[in-house]
Amino acid sequence: MNELRLDIIENLDPEGWYNFLREKYFRWKYTQLNRYATTTNSLNRYLCEGKLDELFDIKRELLDFDLSDIQYGLLTAKRIHGLGIAGASGLLALFYPHSFGTVDQFVVKSLLN
C-alpha cells in the first residue's frame, strides 16, 4: 500500500474499485479480524444492492476535488460504507500522502490525554 499509485486507482472500473477497497485497503487498514468483518459487511451492500456505480462515483470525487478542502475530502471518503473518519483519513493519506495524514484510535487516545 505504501507504493500505491493514483493512476492504478484511476483505471479501476466499478468492480475493480470495489475489489481494491475490500481486498487491499480494508485488509491493510483493518488488521483485527472482527473489524475487517464488520467493515466488509458494510461495503458488501454496494454489491448486494447493485450499487457499485454509487461507490464508483465516490472514487471519481476522491480523484477530483480541491485538496485544500480537507472536510470535503473526509466527508466524501466517509460516504464509503464501512469507513469512519479513521478509515477515510487513511484512504486520503494513501491517495495524497503529501496533503493528508491519517487519524486512528491511537491519535484520538493521545489527544484525549
Side-chain angles (χ1 to χ4, degrees), residues 49-66:
E49 296 173 8
K51 295 184 177 181
L52 289 180
D53 56 330
E54 283 183 21
L55 183 61
F56 192 71
D57 288 342
I58 295 170
K59 179 192 91 155
R60 283 193 280 227
E61 287 182 53
L62 291 174
L63 293 173
D64 186 34
F65 77 99
D66 178 358

Side-chain angles (χ1 to χ4, degrees), residues 22 26 30-44:
R22 181 181 167 86
F26 280 32
Y30 303 107
T31 56
Q32 293 180 330
L33 292 179
N34 63 327
R35 289 291 294 139
Y36 178 75
T38 58
T39 56
T40 56
N41 282 342
S42 294
L43 185 69
N44 286 342

